[in-house]
């Protein structure tokens, strides 16, 4: 049975996608009641501006929203539903014929998409980006979707694809997790104590 290839318009030419799930069963101490699952969804697309300077990147940024929604929905499905998602982050790796600003378009497009799919959580979506060769791994920060100051949920996700991005490509990625660090015990704001609902506390 063939799987239909998503299409996102002329500015977003997709070469491949990847969804991975890391399951942490324990961290050397007592086994937790349930393992921690961190999911990463990547998409490798052609960079429409590779090798040249383009003043107006806004059309590309707008076109990427649909790709972001697709990746966010994939993550929600893998983790078992919106109610399971507690942390998130995003990242981009730009091929060497591009520039860092070509990855920065993902701040709005990827962040908007995750918030929309998750029911408009208020916390900013942490991110990382760089220009690099194919096979580069990127470590993306993650935190609580409702309050960035929840200390137990400061964590990371590693992402990358072995043959991407090629020089004229960009790898865009979203990350979600169903919990914070296993055995967290450093105090600070807890999920249960979120009260201000301003995206921070």
């Amino acid at each position: 049975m063939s799987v239909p290839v998503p299409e996102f318009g002329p500015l977003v030419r997709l070469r491949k996608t990847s969804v991975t799930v890391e399951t942490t069963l324990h961290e050397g101490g007592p086994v937790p009641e349930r393992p921690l699952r961190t999911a990463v969804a990547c998409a490798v697309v052609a960079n429409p501006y590779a090798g040249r300077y383009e003043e107006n990147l806004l059309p590309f940024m707008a076109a990427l929203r649909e790709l972001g929604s697709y990746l966010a929905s994939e993550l929600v499905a893998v983790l078992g539903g919106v109610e399971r998602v507690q942390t998130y982050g995003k990242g981009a790796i730009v091929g060497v014929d591009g520039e860092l600003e070509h990855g920065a378009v993902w701040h709005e497009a990827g962040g908007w998409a995750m918030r929309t799919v998750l029911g408009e959580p208020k916390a900013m979506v942490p991110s990382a980006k760089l220009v690099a060769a194919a096979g580069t791994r990127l470590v993306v920060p993650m935190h609580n979707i409702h309050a960035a100051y929840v200390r137990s949920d400061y964590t990371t996700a590693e992402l990358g694809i072995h043959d991407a991005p090629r020089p004229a490509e960009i790898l865009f990625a979203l990350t979600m997790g169903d919990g914070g660090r296993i055995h967290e015990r450093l105090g600070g704001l807890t999920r249960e104590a979120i009260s201000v609902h301003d995206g921070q506390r």
Side-chain angles (χ1 to χ4, degrees), residues 155-167:
T155 185
T156 58
E158 183 185 16
L159 60 91
I161 295 178
H162 70 282
D163 69 343
R166 294 172 182 173

Side-chain angles (χ1 to χ4, degrees), residues 11-53:
L11 276 180
V12 184
R13 293 185 291 120
L14 186 66
R15 179 166 72 86
K16 64 165 55 179
T17 64
S18 170
V19 178
T20 59
V21 180
E22 178 183 276
T23 302
T24 304
L25 302 176
H26 64 81
E27 287 285 355
V31 177
E33 292 183 7
R34 64 179 179 84
L36 169 66
R37 303 179 75 221
T38 303
V40 177
C42 298
V44 181
V45 305
N47 183 348
Y49 312 119
R52 66 182 180 88
Y53 180 79

Side-chain angles (χ1 to χ4, degrees), residues 85-86 88 118-123 143-150 194 197-201:
V85 179
Q86 294 186 18
Y88 57 15
L118 292 174
E120 304 297 338
K122 292 185 178 299
H143 65 211
N144 187 275
I145 68 172
H146 297 296
Y149 285 13
V150 174
I194 296 172
H197 302 293
D198 62 351
Q200 299 181 63
R201 296 183 173 87

Side-chain angles (χ1 to χ4, degrees), residues 34-119:
R34 64 179 179 84
L36 169 66
R37 303 179 75 221
T38 303
V40 177
C42 298
V44 181
V45 305
N47 183 348
Y49 312 119
R52 66 182 180 88
Y53 180 79
E54 170 59 47
E55 179 65 31
N56 184 12
L57 302 180
L58 297 183
F60 187 41
M61 186 170 73
L64 285 167
R65 281 185 166 198
E66 189 176 356
L67 175 65
S69 297
Y70 171 77
L71 296 180
S73 297
E74 289 276 283
L75 293 178
V76 168
V78 164
L79 291 176
V82 171
E83 66 281 356
R84 297 296 301 274
V85 179
Q86 294 186 18
T87 61
Y88 57 15
K90 62 183 184 294
I93 306 174
V94 181
V96 295
D97 285 349
E99 60 177 288
L100 196 61
E101 198 71 358
H102 299 160
V105 296
W106 199 232
H107 283 297
E108 194 276 345
W112 173 89
M114 279 211 283
R115 284 196 177 91
T116 300
V117 168
L118 292 174

